[in-house]
Amino acid sequence: MKQLFVICAAAMMAAMSLVGCKRSQEPVQFHAAGQPENLSDWHVVSVADGHLRLNQGVEPYALNSALFSDYAHKLRTLWLPPGTKATYQDYEAFDFPVGTIISKTFYYPRAGHGDAVLRVAESPAESRDGLDLSKVRLIETRLLVHREKGWVAMAYVWNAQQTEAVLARAGDSIAMTLQKPDGSGKQTFSYMVPDENQCAGCHSTNNTTRVLHPIGPKARHLNREDPWHPGSNQLARMVKMGRLQGLPKSGVPHNVRFDDTTAKLNDRARAYLDVNCGHCHNPKGPADTSGLWLDAGTTDSRRLGLCKPPVAAGQGTGDHMFDIVPGRPDDSILVYRMDSLDPGAMMPELGRGTVHEEGVVLIRDWIGAWLGNCTDTEQNVAMQSR
């Protein structure tokens, strides 16, 4: 009986200790002004027990197809002030309330005990509670914060000990060695952390207003199963949790995964171009004067680049005549620029020091499936979906 009492008392003490820890955890801190020096000042994520953990109320989310960033993995999170909701929008990013904090932590799975990191499609270290730091190398965490006067972006670079991330106002360059799990395909490159202006270069999705907006949290990107809660749709779960209002009962847009080989080739290619290029190449974006629009809403083949000569690409053409030459990816400027690392030719211009080989193969196959040519008088060209 005495032994049972001791066990029960120990259990109660442990439970009380756990409750005390939870109560002592500082809540997410929204900074309405300024640029806090450390990521920990925000209390969005924290390092504890060898893990990068999410604070209470910070929810992870995933996209159907994500922006390529040198094969880095990204832990994406969303925090809304208590009692507030995002408002659904059919095409643009959701309308988030002031006080919203969106975070994106870039990391790589480790390749053994050396400095090399792995080029793999799926992360073995990510869970609902965050990241197992023994399995990953943290690179940076970017915050997109909705203040009273609009969105602001900040990038924080993790130290070698993976205990803190420090604000990088001027950006940073990090030497990396990337390899496949079998040790092959090893390559070195400079991972570029964007400075403040470069953040605006992508997130200023409207070339007239030049104000920053989120890129990823759109209906077509979020409309998928929640990886952390199997069987639940992310958008439906956001509604259930009181974080989203206005979700239609049907007709919600959906982009496929670009690497889903069971989906149609055209759908895969359009999803890839939309998330990687469409925030600039659209009727209102920074690349609006190029005449090449690659967002999900564009259906005009000419606007997508079919037999369209470049407007002002300069050396970025690679001496090719048209953005897309049907059936001939090697003669198409789009493929040339995706496959280039020349700063004067590569697309996207920012955010990569490597070529996304799988993405290039996809767009090559897509262009190869177009029928017709660019010499016919009427340019009678059709798209073959398969």
Side-chain angles (χ1 to χ4, degrees), residues 5 15 77 107 124-125 141 144 180 205 212 277 293 301 373 381:
F5 174 79
T77 74
Y107 70 94
T141 295
L144 200 59
K180 295 180 180 178
T205 55
L212 275 63
C277 316
W293 299 346
S301 296
N373 58 70
V381 185

Side-chain angles (χ1 to χ4, degrees), residues 67-71 108 142 189-193 272 276 334-343 345-357 360:
L67 179 71
F68 174 72
S69 303
D70 288 327
Y71 292 100
Y108 290 89
R142 300 179 193 175
F189 69 98
S190 293
Y191 179 101
M192 302 304 295
V193 177
Y272 183 88
N276 280 278
L334 186 58
V335 170
Y336 170 76
R337 303 194 76 171
M338 287 179 59
D339 201 29
S340 175
L341 289 177
D342 181 342
M346 60 184 278
M347 280 289 176
E349 297 174 304
L350 303 172
R352 69 177 180 93
T354 61
V355 171
H356 190 196
E357 296 174 9
V360 172

Side-chain angles (χ1 to χ4, degrees), residues 46-334:
S46 62
V47 176
D49 303 322
H51 286 73
L52 182 70
R53 299 194 183 279
L54 281 56
N55 203 346
Q56 184 176 358
V58 177
E59 286 290 321
Y61 68 92
L63 308 181
N64 283 310
S65 287
L67 179 71
F68 174 72
S69 303
D70 288 327
Y71 292 100
H73 294 261
K74 302 164 190 175
L75 173 61
R76 299 173 175 84
T77 74
L78 175 66
W79 182 82
L80 275 64
T84 65
K85 299 180 181 181
T87 300
Y88 174 90
Q89 297 194 99
D90 192 51
Y91 186 76
E92 303 295 342
F94 294 162
D95 185 9
F96 292 99
V98 170
T100 296
I101 303 173
I102 299 174
S103 84
K104 186 162 57 173
T105 297
F106 294 68
Y107 70 94
Y108 290 89
R110 291 187 180 276
H113 299 290
D115 292 332
V117 294
L118 291 177
R119 171 182 156 182
V120 291
E122 301 294 334
S123 170
E126 191 169 315
S127 69
R128 171 63 183 83
D129 293 326
L131 295 173
D132 181 346
L133 296 182
S134 68
K135 298 180 180 179
V136 303
R137 177 180 173 183
L138 299 177
I139 305 298
E140 61 164 324
T141 295
R142 300 179 193 175
L143 298 185
L144 200 59
V145 180
H146 195 191
R147 290 174 169 166
E148 193 68 42
K149 293 184 178 180
W151 291 91
V152 294
M154 294 169 231
Y156 292 83
V157 176
W158 285 91
N159 60 20
Q161 297 76 31
Q162 302 198 138
T163 56
E164 181 64 277
V166 179
L167 183 65
R169 293 181 177 85
D172 202 352
S173 177
I174 303 170
M176 303 287 295
T177 300
L178 186 66
Q179 69 178 45
K180 295 180 180 178
D182 61 3
S184 67
K186 186 176 290 187
Q187 63 183 125
T188 59
F189 69 98
S190 293
Y191 179 101
M192 302 304 295
V193 177
D195 61 31
E196 296 176 6
N197 291 331
Q198 289 170 326
C199 288
C202 285
H203 285 278
S204 296
T205 55
N206 187 308
N207 205 30
T208 300
T209 64
R210 302 298 296 170
V211 297
L212 275 63
H213 289 285
I215 295 174
K218 299 174 182 176
R220 59 186 180 276
H221 301 320
L222 296 174
N223 186 10
R224 55 164 290 170
E225 182 180 72
D226 187 329
W228 298 274
H229 301 87
S232 300
N233 177 275
Q234 282 192 139
L235 297 179
R237 189 167 182 276
M238 287 179 69
V239 172
K240 185 177 180 180
M241 295 177 65
R243 295 173 179 270
L244 179 66
Q245 60 186 0
L247 178 68
K249 293 183 178 180
S250 62
V252 179
H254 169 75
N255 274 10
V256 303
R257 285 185 52 152
F258 83 89
D259 57 355
D260 180 4
T261 55
T262 66
K264 291 183 178 181
L265 176 59
N266 184 57
D267 293 342
R268 294 171 57 207
R270 290 304 307 274
Y272 183 88
L273 293 172
D274 178 36
V275 76
N276 280 278
C277 316
H279 50 280
C280 283
H281 284 272
N282 66 73
K284 297 180 181 179
D288 58 348
T289 58
S290 70
L292 180 66
W293 299 346
L294 300 173
D295 61 309
T298 297
T299 57
D300 185 332
S301 296
R302 181 76 167 187
R303 290 295 188 186
L304 287 172
L306 176 63
C307 301
K308 189 191 79 62
V311 175
Q315 69 186 78
T317 66
D319 294 326
H320 301 313
M321 297 294 294
F322 304 106
D323 291 330
I324 291 178
V325 180
R328 294 163 59 184
D330 288 335
D331 295 332
S332 302
I333 297 172
L334 186 58

Side-chain angles (χ1 to χ4, degrees), residues 23-38:
R23 286 180 177 175
S24 64
Q25 184 183 23
E26 294 190 55
V28 172
Q29 178 64 56
F30 168 69
H31 295 271
Q35 295 182 310
E37 195 65 26
N38 297 317

